[in-house]
Amino acid sequence: MRAFWEPEVETLPRPQLESLQLERLRQQVERLWRTSAFFREKWAGVNLELRHLEDLSRFPLVTKAELRAEQQAHPPLGRYTGVEAQSWREYHPSSGTTGFPVGTVWSEGDVENITQVTARVLYGYGLRPGDILLNGFSYGLWVAGLAVHYAARAMGLFVLPVGAGQTERHLELMERFRPQALTATPSFGLYLGEALRARGLESPLRVGAFGGEAGTENPSTRRRLEEALGLQAYDFYGLAEMGPTFAGECQAKAGLHFAEDHYLVEVVDPESQEPLPEGEVGVLVLTHLTRQATPLVRYYTGDLARLTKEPCPCGRTHLRAVGGIPGRVDDLVVYRGAKFYPGQVEEVVRRFPELAGEYRIEVREAGGLVQGVTVVVEMAHPGVGEGLVEALRQSLKAALGVTPEVRLEAPGTLERTAFKAKRVVRHAQA
Ligand SMILES: [Zn+2]
């Protein structure tokens, strides 16, 4: 059996991969200049000639706020839909947790590319025809559930389309069909692990693909997922505006490989917005190379990443975000000169078996400055001693360079979510 889903493109030598990207980028820019009033306005005065991929840095970034304003001014989807409405096949909005949801549509060609790219990632986790997949990603408006469903069908898997939440259904389907693979958010994966243990059930799973929120590549989170569910846990990345599932780890667990034949990947400095050299942490900026409907050029995702083009032991040539997505640029906490992200707190909290692994970071602000930070954690079982609080404070101090307060709560106190747990809570102090 072949080692890759699309062997030729996944192992394309980088010079050829980059010339393919340049050719597709030129076509996309030329097409949008012709068809999109939104991009024509945005690119007024910009030299559109692309001799090298780096020339794209002359183009302005596109933000979510801008897309929201565009879709509100020109309903339903703004002036960058790319293809005639007769060619629209599916609508998928962003989650809308931060305001009016930004809508995305897929054409028939887009659905096909999304299916193939998703299958590429699932195949990379080791799934093969005949395997049984419990798809715990939400079905419906959210992008990932349907993308995984289409890909599973295309690969010849047997898919159990249970969707997000519904713990009892997951357990029943696991008992009845013994699926080898699960797709879910890492939060739900951990929750499912707790549910299995509480009922004394054994997990049939061998592969877990965890996406929809960051954390899978956090070493202590990955260890918890693997132990609780008895599987190999892999990270899976996507976002509504760009596509559901266009980056995933390989079995080397060496970072997220992006599907670079469909996406151009950059990292920029959050302050200057200038491109950063390979290896530096910055904000991911993504460009659709092949998307027909609602295509975006230089979308500022707000997600952080550190890229490498170094060869991967798996043989794929597509670049990787090492360590996955450590957080969002908005979740940065600046406190007494130290800067840290929720992922760093999570890594420390989940090292302690006496803790449940859930956490919240309470930030007290006044006059635009952080006055205090409290990390709220939960006991795994009642009666965990005060000594633990001090041990956790010391570990946090070592990891963050600053010592937050720690508050210990009773088991089950912190909210469990199946989707995008909110970790940083900011309070204004009088
Ligand atoms: Zn690899």
Side-chain angles (χ1 to χ4, degrees):
M1 198 165 310
R2 61 190 172 180
F4 305 97
W5 179 249
E6 294 176 281
E8 205 162 302
V9 68
E10 290 181 66
T11 60
L12 201 60
R14 288 212 62 90
Q16 279 150 266
L17 179 59
E18 286 170 16
S19 46
L20 175 70
Q21 288 187 303
L22 184 58
E23 185 191 315
R24 289 181 168 178
L25 179 63
R26 284 174 178 151
Q27 287 168 2
Q28 186 70 290
V29 166
E30 192 271 329
R31 194 171 71 92
L32 289 178
W33 182 256
R34 258 189 300 114
T35 60
S36 165
F38 171 77
F39 279 107
R40 268 198 306 276
E41 278 172 22
K42 204 165 164 59
W43 294 342
V46 175
N47 174 3
L48 301 183
E49 193 193 358
L50 292 158
R51 297 176 60 200
H52 310 281
L53 288 172
E54 292 73 30
D55 294 339
L56 188 64
S57 66
R58 287 196 302 260
F59 287 57
L61 300 172
V62 177
T63 64
K64 188 161 180 171
E66 215 176 332
L67 296 179
R68 190 177 287 136
E70 171 69 13
Q71 295 193 344
Q72 282 175 313
H74 303 277
L77 290 162
R79 298 164 300 157
Y80 61 99
T81 44
V83 291
E84 300 284 312
Q86 287 80 1
S87 303
W88 299 355
R89 290 296 173 267
E90 291 188 29
Y91 170 69
H92 293 282
S94 61
S95 60
T97 46
T98 51
F100 178 85
V102 172
T104 295
V105 286
W106 300 347
S107 71
E108 197 61 46
D110 295 335
V111 172
E112 179 55 24
N113 284 335
I114 285 164
T115 300
Q116 292 305 319
V117 162
T118 307
R120 188 189 292 183
V121 178
L122 294 175
Y123 201 88
Y125 298 145
L127 296 190
R128 294 294 179 269
D131 283 344
I132 303 174
L133 170 69
L134 189 60
N135 186 9
F137 282 151
S138 164
Y139 277 74
L141 292 174
W142 193 40
V143 286
L146 283 169
V148 165
H149 188 88
Y150 297 153
R153 296 269 319 251
M155 291 168 73
L157 308 184
F158 174 35
V159 58
L160 306 170
V162 58
Q166 309 199 67
T167 312
E168 293 306 320
R169 273 296 173 84
H170 273 86
L171 298 178
E172 182 226 317
L173 291 168
M174 274 197 218
E175 284 293 283
R176 186 183 288 200
F177 293 104
R178 315 294 297 163
Q180 288 89 353
L182 167 74
T183 43
T185 60
S187 310
F188 187 68
L190 289 171
Y191 185 71
L192 210 50
E194 285 180 19
L196 279 171
R197 195 180 45 206
R199 288 167 179 75
L201 298 174
E202 199 187 314
S203 164
L205 301 166
R206 130 176 100 72
V207 170
F210 298 101
E213 56 187 32
T216 310
E217 290 186 67
N218 219 320
S220 50
T221 300
R222 188 183 330 248
R223 193 165 53 244
R224 279 191 180 225
L225 283 166
E226 295 191 334
E227 285 172 6
L229 294 165
L231 46 66
Q232 295 293 315
Y234 298 104
D235 196 10
F236 210 168
Y237 174 67
L239 60 167
E241 301 80 29
M242 291 310 296
T245 39
F246 50 81
E249 282 187 287
C250 62
Q251 286 172 313
K253 294 181 182 167
L256 292 164
H257 280 284
F258 282 75
E260 280 193 276
D261 48 329
H262 296 284
Y263 293 84
L264 190 74
V265 187
E266 302 171 81
V267 155
V268 302
D269 183 291
E271 268 127 48
S272 71
Q273 307 199 330
E274 290 301 316
L276 288 171
E278 192 179 328
E280 289 193 28
V281 178
V283 177
L284 262 182
V285 169
L286 299 172
T287 294
H288 281 132
L289 295 174
T290 54
R291 184 63 61 83
Q292 296 170 340
T294 50
L296 294 175
V297 171
R298 299 204 86 209
Y299 182 63
Y300 185 85
T301 65
D303 284 338
L304 298 165
R306 180 163 70 85
L307 302 178
T308 181
K309 294 176 182 169
E310 289 292 308
C312 182
C314 73
R316 289 176 183 80
T317 52
H318 294 224
L319 63 71
R320 287 169 285 143
V322 180
I325 307 295
R328 289 193 52 81
V329 70
D330 327 334
D331 284 341
L332 177 71
V333 179
V334 183
Y335 180 44
R336 293 183 182 159
K339 292 182 180 179
F340 63 89
Y341 293 99
Q344 290 164 270
V345 172
E346 178 171 313
E347 165 55 19
V348 174
V349 169
R350 291 187 174 162
R351 275 186 226 153
F352 288 82
E354 305 92 328
L355 297 175
E358 288 299 317
Y359 66 99
R360 191 169 62 219
I361 303 166
E362 293 179 352
V363 178
R364 294 180 299 286
E365 294 176 322
L369 283 177
V370 174
Q371 306 294 328
V373 173
T374 305
V375 174
V376 185
V377 293
E378 193 185 290
M379 302 173 216
H381 42 81
V384 170
E386 277 300 305
L388 182 74
V389 169
E390 194 44 39
L392 180 59
R393 267 168 62 88
Q394 291 309 318
S395 299
L396 287 167
K397 181 183 179 184
L400 311 178
V402 67
T403 320
E405 289 168 41
V406 168
R407 194 168 78 238
L408 197 57
E409 302 223 344
T413 312
L414 294 175
E415 189 195 4
R416 263 65 167 170
T417 56
F419 186 70
K420 290 200 179 168
K422 184 152 181 55
R423 300 301 187 186
V424 181
V425 181
R426 294 178 195 266
H427 302 283
Q429 228 171 20

